[in-house]
Structures are given as structure tokens and as C-alpha cells.
Amino acid sequence: MTVAKIAMQAEEFRLIREYVAESMGLVLEEGTHKGLAAKLSPRLQELRLKSFAEYYSYLKFSPGRSAEWQRLVPLITNNETYFFREAAQLSVLVQQVLPALKESKLARGERSLRILSAGCSTGEEVYTLAMLLLESGGFTWDWDVRIAGIDVDERVLDAARQGSYGERAFWATEPHLVERYLKRQGDRYVVRDILRKWTSFTQGNLLDLADTAAGEQYDVILCRNVLIYFADQTVQRVVDNFGALQRSGAYLFLGHSESLSRTQASYRPLRFPGAIIYQKRETA
Ligand SMILES: C[S@@+](CC[C@H](N)C(=O)[O-])C[C@H]1O[C@@H](n2cnc3c(N)ncnc32)[C@H](O)[C@@H]1O
């Protein structure tokens, strides 16, 4: 059965765009309303709604609004990710950050490490971090290590928890690591238990991390390829949220096309060949 496409008027797009930006930070690009209308038309018909103005009200005010939000999110987010993305940054993590953290923790008599992948998508970044930590050999059984993935999109989190990937996810991964940490099942690769023991995945919104991550202090937060789609003032808000979850001296990794140049009050940039990372400043 073909579904008739319902047109989205400029004002309707403006309302939905504003609502999405307010709710999760993402700024829908101008000119994407036709594509969005095509993706959402079947849903409007299911709901027997005649226009996107009605859909906007449904999204905002109906008793089913949070379930509807979860249906909308996968249609508007970019979930592109793969194992060992942005290798230069990962080298800095392994060669500079992890040894420095280990030294300072041991000096304080601590043996715990907390890492957050903020906007983790289908989990490749989280499992990459687990592999890197295991390969580093620096964090053995007597360390309490947790690598948490947070994403706004329930659907990608289900995939992350399953931990089953196609070959394409490993184009930047050395084959011996795939062999060591994943087992082949048909044409899929499934993460081994050793990668699961430190890792967890939780639904959460970077605009409001108080419920999801309250009480945690993360030694490293990676928020890569997420803020690129956000407005400047929302980036500031998300970075403030991260600041509330980190002590002075903790590290923040952003995607290579994202920069904190306008929001450096709480983090200072550390420059390495091919990679910039950020370190939380001492609070006054
Ligand atoms: C392009 S993926 C990046 C995945 C991974 N960090 C990487 O660099 O490969 C961006 C992810 O951010 C998530 N995201 C976008 N806005 C979010 C928000 N407000 N809160 C939590 N996750 C969000 C999306 O659902 C998507 O899965």
C-alpha cells in the first residue's frame, strides 16, 4: 500500500525544529522538511492526523508524547559510528591520559576508573574503549573500571546491548583485535563477555544528565560527533553538564570537527599531533 505524503508547511517545520532543539539540542537543517515529511507521513496516517501542526501538538501534549518522542528520535539523529574512530585521539588517550590518570589515582590510593561515552550510538565507541583499556594492560582485575554509554535513542541502545556488528564496523580496526574481542556468528561479529563486564548502556539526554548520571565523577568523557549538530548555546549547556560530572583535572574528548573555542571557561585545550583534548580547569 502506498502512503500519500503529507506536506509540511514552513511554520510547521519551524515549530517541530524548535521543539527538537529544545528537547535534545539537535538543530534540524533548513531544507530538510521534505525528507522529514516523507519519513513521518506514514506515522501521521497511523495516528489519523491530518497535518504536521496536529502532529506537533500530539508530540508536545498528548499522553503518548514520550513514546512518540522515541519514535521520532531515530528519524532525525545521525547514528554513524564505527570501532576505533579518530585514531589520533585514541592514541592520546592510551599514551597520555590513561597513564596520567593511573599515576594520580594510585598516588591517592584509588583504583577506580570511570569513563562516559556521551552519545554512544550503537556502542562501537564504548567497546573500543574497553578493548583499549584491556590492551593497555594498565587496569587489571584489582581495578574497578566502568565504561558507560548514554544515548537519547533507545533503538541504538538496544543494538549496543546486543553487541552484534557487521564487517563494516571494523574497517578502522586491526584484524587481530577483532579476533581477540569478538566472536564470529555467521556474517556477524559479537562482542565477547570480557568486553561486557566493564560496559553498560543507559538512555539519557545530554541536555539533562542530572537523573542519568547523578553522583558519578567521570575521569574521561568522550562526546564525539554529537555537538556538531547543536547550537552554540546548547553546546555550552552540555559542557556545563559535563563539568558537573567531572573533577578538576578530568578529561573531555570532542570530535575533531568540534571545538570548545567559545566555551573554554571550564576546560583548557591540550594540543597533541593530530588531536586536541580538554582538561577541566581548577575551580576558583
Ligand atoms: C554520530 S553518533 C556519534 C557516535 C560516537 N560518539 C562516535 O563518535 O562514533 C551521535 C549520537 O548522539 C546521539 N545524541 C544526539 N543528541 C543527543 C542528546 N541530546 N543526548 C544523548 N544522545 C544524543 C544520537 O542519538 C547519536 O546516536
Side-chain angles (χ1 to χ4, degrees):
M1 191 183 75
T2 49
V3 177
K5 207 181 114 186
I6 301 170
M8 189 185 288
Q9 306 306 321
E11 177 59 12
E12 293 170 327
F13 181 61
R14 191 188 62 74
L15 286 172
I16 292 175
R17 191 170 187 252
E18 249 175 49
Y19 184 61
V20 168
E22 254 169 47
S23 307
M24 63 174 288
L26 177 70
V27 180
L28 297 174
E29 275 178 53
E30 286 295 350
T32 55
H33 64 284
K34 282 194 180 149
L36 187 60
K39 288 186 204 164
L40 278 172
S41 287
R43 182 63 186 149
L44 264 68
Q45 297 196 348
E46 255 172 55
L47 293 168
R48 298 180 190 283
L49 301 175
K50 292 190 190 62
S51 69
F52 283 97
E54 287 184 16
Y55 181 71
Y56 167 75
S57 300
Y58 185 84
L59 195 57
K60 203 160 170 182
F61 304 114
S62 81
R65 60 186 179 277
S66 68
E68 192 57 34
W69 175 244
Q70 274 304 324
R71 278 175 177 263
L72 176 63
V73 165
L75 302 182
I76 53 179
T77 49
N78 171 349
N79 305 117
E80 159 74 10
T81 184
Y82 48 88
F83 283 81
F84 287 86
R85 188 172 195 176
E86 293 177 27
Q89 274 195 339
L90 297 178
S91 299
V92 172
L93 176 74
V94 170
Q95 285 162 23
Q96 313 284 337
V97 170
L98 292 179
L101 280 171
K102 185 172 175 183
E103 195 182 312
S104 64
K105 295 222 161 213
L106 288 179
R108 294 199 299 268
E110 282 177 29
R111 279 176 185 269
S112 72
L113 186 70
R114 297 285 179 268
I115 303 184
L116 176 66
S117 164
C120 63
S121 189
T122 38
E124 288 86 333
E125 184 170 77
V126 167
Y127 294 125
T128 297
L129 293 165
M131 287 188 206
L132 287 170
L133 256 70
L134 287 163
E135 286 294 301
S136 79
F139 300 89
T140 41
W141 60 270
D142 52 346
W143 277 78
D144 170 20
V145 175
R146 285 190 224 154
I147 308 166
I150 287 181
D151 203 285
V152 70
D153 183 348
E154 281 288 5
R155 190 199 45 152
V156 291
L157 293 169
D158 286 344
R161 290 182 194 112
Q162 279 176 21
S164 166
Y165 301 96
E167 196 142 1
R168 224 162 31 114
F170 302 104
W171 71 267
T173 309
E174 289 180 32
H176 75 276
L177 294 177
V178 179
E179 198 152 304
R180 188 171 302 158
Y181 293 107
L182 294 109
K183 47 184 182 282
R184 188 147 192 180
Q185 286 181 1
D187 60 353
R188 309 289 293 174
Y189 295 81
V190 180
V191 295
R192 293 186 191 273
D193 288 346
I194 191 165
L195 290 189
R196 294 188 191 271
K197 71 173 182 170
W198 284 341
T199 51
S200 65
F201 296 96
T202 310
Q203 201 264 340
N205 187 342
L206 302 184
L207 264 49
D208 181 11
L209 284 171
D211 289 341
T212 327
E216 275 298 7
Q217 291 288 313
Y218 290 100
D219 301 299
V220 183
I221 295 180
L222 294 95
C223 184
R224 307 191 305 164
N225 309 298
V226 179
L227 302 178
I228 188 174
Y229 308 107
F230 285 28
D232 281 358
Q233 69 272 25
T234 324
V235 172
Q236 178 68 64
R237 179 168 157 196
V238 172
V239 171
D240 288 347
N241 290 344
F242 291 155
L245 301 175
Q246 295 199 291
R247 293 194 188 95
S248 304
Y251 299 89
L252 175 62
F253 285 63
L254 302 177
H256 78 106
S257 46
E258 295 146 330
S259 132
L260 278 194
S261 53
R262 282 181 295 275
T263 55
Q264 279 180 21
S266 43
Y267 289 86
R268 72 186 173 106
L270 306 178
R271 293 189 166 79
F272 297 92
I276 300 180
I277 64 168
Y278 297 88
Q279 186 169 37
K280 187 156 180 223
R281 294 179 193 274
E282 294 295 326
T283 37

